[in-house]
Amino acid sequence: MKNLRLFLIVLGMTGFLTSASAQAGKSAPPGNASNSDVYALQEGFVDANGIMIYYMAVGRGEPLVIIHGGPGASHDYFLPYLLPLARHNKVIFIDERGSGRSQKLEDPSGYTIENMVEDVETVRQALGLGKISVLGHSYGGALAQAYALKYQANLTHLILGSTWSSTKAINEVFVRMKQNMSPELQERINRLEAAGLFGHGKDYEKNRYTNDYMIAAWGEGYFPYLYQNHPDPNYDPIDNGKMAWDLYREMWGEHGEFIIDGNLKSVEYTDRLATIKVPTLILVGDHDESDPSLSQAMHEKIAGSKIVILPKAGHMTFVDDTGMFIKTVDEFLHASK
């Protein structure tokens, strides 16, 4: 494939993989450790149409590509929760263009879901994965749908976690979410949004949300929809602001957390989902930021799909009930084996 090059970072430890085509987990372990107890790590970069995309692979079995949310977050928030999947799957985490360790763009207009679909496909080809299963969470679930709608022939399974297929529909969910807030919080959020969310404070603060808005939106507004069973004691709404802001503003928009008005307005896939024929699992928390009604709409369109609503779980389903999440995904992927 023209202009396709694979760049590997080989970790300097005995037993770690040294080739992108090698199977993770098959190298000789150090010392006297049993092969069955050692899961070697492979990481590197794929040059995807001129953009360096970071990947990390671990585990044994058929390939499972994990796509993170945000947009503008990174694969890190899945760790360590999804590591048990590596016992039965070769798990490949990626950082989307502009996110995490992947290359940033000088022109933010290149941050589109359509371009990210091509990045995922190039990673699949470059690593020689053949047919893959894909698990997308939140925005990553929208990206997973976009991938399936274009490259369904390359899929064995599709897993959609806490996501949406219609931006119009999730914007309606955000309206209701705001209406359910206390009058004081509604007023505070509306006032901050009306003043504009960027360009305030010191020079180093001007290209991100203000701390007051991060606390109001992510700390108070969203938090009840993020966790239920096991709220992360380290969750910090201001620390959550360490993300790819140029990407976020281009894709989500500039007018706040409770309306998507960036280029993600293009996500209107619901009526096209009937064309997806691969086995599909839809996961959502009963207290999810991506309301279960959005998952139900996808379930009704994708024939034969399975929907699992995790009880007492928010948007971070794999944190709230890690055991049930891992069990459900593993059983779905290996049901016929």
Side-chain angles (χ1 to χ4, degrees):
M1 186 174 183
K2 186 179 180 181
N3 199 32
L4 180 63
R5 299 182 300 278
L6 182 65
F7 292 79
L8 293 178
I9 297 176
V10 181
L11 301 182
M13 295 178 64
T14 303
F16 276 23
L17 299 180
T18 58
S19 167
S21 61
Q23 295 295 313
K26 288 189 175 181
S27 55
N32 296 319
S34 166
N35 271 316
S36 64
D37 296 331
V38 175
Y39 293 81
L41 180 69
Q42 171 192 352
E43 64 174 346
F45 294 89
V46 171
D47 188 340
N49 305 301
I51 308 299
M52 301 288 279
I53 302 297
Y54 173 81
Y55 76 91
M56 183 184 80
V58 62
R60 308 183 185 110
E62 298 301 313
L64 170 62
V65 175
I66 310 287
I67 304 177
H68 66 77
S74 75
H75 78 282
D76 293 294
Y77 74 86
F78 290 124
L79 302 175
Y81 306 102
L82 298 193
L83 285 177
L85 290 172
R87 292 193 174 100
H88 304 117
N89 310 274
K90 179 176 181 178
V91 182
I92 301 99
F93 298 95
I94 66 170
D95 286 345
E96 295 144 19
R97 59 170 54 199
S99 301
R101 300 179 187 180
S102 290
Q103 183 180 340
K104 295 184 72 65
L105 307 184
E106 292 186 15
D107 181 0
S109 67
Y111 295 128
T112 69
I113 196 167
E114 295 79 13
N115 286 342
M116 292 181 185
V117 165
E118 300 308 318
D119 295 341
V120 173
E121 174 59 10
T122 303
V123 169
R124 184 194 70 83
Q125 293 183 31
L127 297 184
L129 298 176
K131 286 197 170 187
I132 59 175
S133 296
V134 169
L135 187 161
H137 174 255
S138 193
Y139 161 68
L143 177 51
Q145 291 170 71
Y147 181 86
L149 289 169
K150 185 167 184 181
Y151 291 112
Q152 185 170 182
N154 301 330
L155 284 177
T156 58
H157 300 82
L158 178 64
I159 304 171
L160 305 175
S162 300
T163 191
W164 76 98
S165 59
S166 166
T167 296
K168 290 179 183 177
I170 196 170
N171 277 340
E172 291 171 3
V173 168
F174 289 145
V175 170
R176 297 195 297 271
M177 189 184 295
K178 249 188 173 182
Q179 290 172 343
N180 289 332
M181 295 176 190
S182 71
E184 185 278 328
L185 181 57
Q186 284 187 57
E187 188 281 329
R188 186 159 26 111
I189 287 174
N190 289 339
R191 173 169 43 82
L192 291 166
E193 290 174 348
L197 296 176
F198 298 92
H200 301 285
K202 305 291 185 183
D203 287 343
Y204 61 82
E205 299 174 294
K206 290 181 178 179
N207 292 315
R208 67 185 191 220
Y209 287 163
T210 64
N211 288 356
D212 286 346
Y213 188 74
M214 285 190 269
I215 291 170
W218 289 333
E220 298 175 62
Y222 271 170
F223 195 78
Y225 303 93
L226 293 178
Y227 305 97
Q228 288 293 314
N229 275 315
H230 296 293
D232 182 354
N234 292 315
Y235 180 80
D236 182 344
I238 295 176
D239 189 64
N240 198 50
K242 294 176 181 176
M243 60 186 298
W245 281 105
D246 53 343
L247 185 159
Y248 197 69
R249 293 172 73 172
E250 185 74 18
M251 300 190 76
W252 191 272
E254 297 198 2
H255 299 99
E257 284 303 292
F258 305 97
I259 181 170
I260 299 173
D261 58 0
N263 66 33
L264 281 184
K265 291 185 295 185
S266 69
V267 176
E268 293 297 336
Y269 301 149
T270 307
D271 291 340
R272 300 172 57 195
L273 294 181
T275 65
I276 295 178
K277 305 300 182 183
V278 297
T280 300
L281 171 65
I282 301 167
L283 292 161
V284 66
D286 63 354
H287 288 73
D288 210 307
E289 167 194 328
S290 295
D291 191 80
S293 62
L294 304 173
S295 291
Q296 188 64 40
M298 294 184 289
H299 174 53
E300 291 172 0
K301 288 291 185 179
I302 304 175
S305 62
K306 178 181 180 180
I307 185 170
V308 175
I309 301 175
L310 280 74
K312 294 181 66 179
H315 196 55
M316 307 299 281
T317 48
F318 48 88
V319 178
D320 265 333
D321 197 338
T322 307
M324 178 60 72
F325 187 96
I326 297 297
K327 181 174 184 290
T328 302
V329 170
D330 258 339
E331 289 181 351
F332 170 71
L333 291 175
H334 304 285
S336 61
K337 298 178 181 180

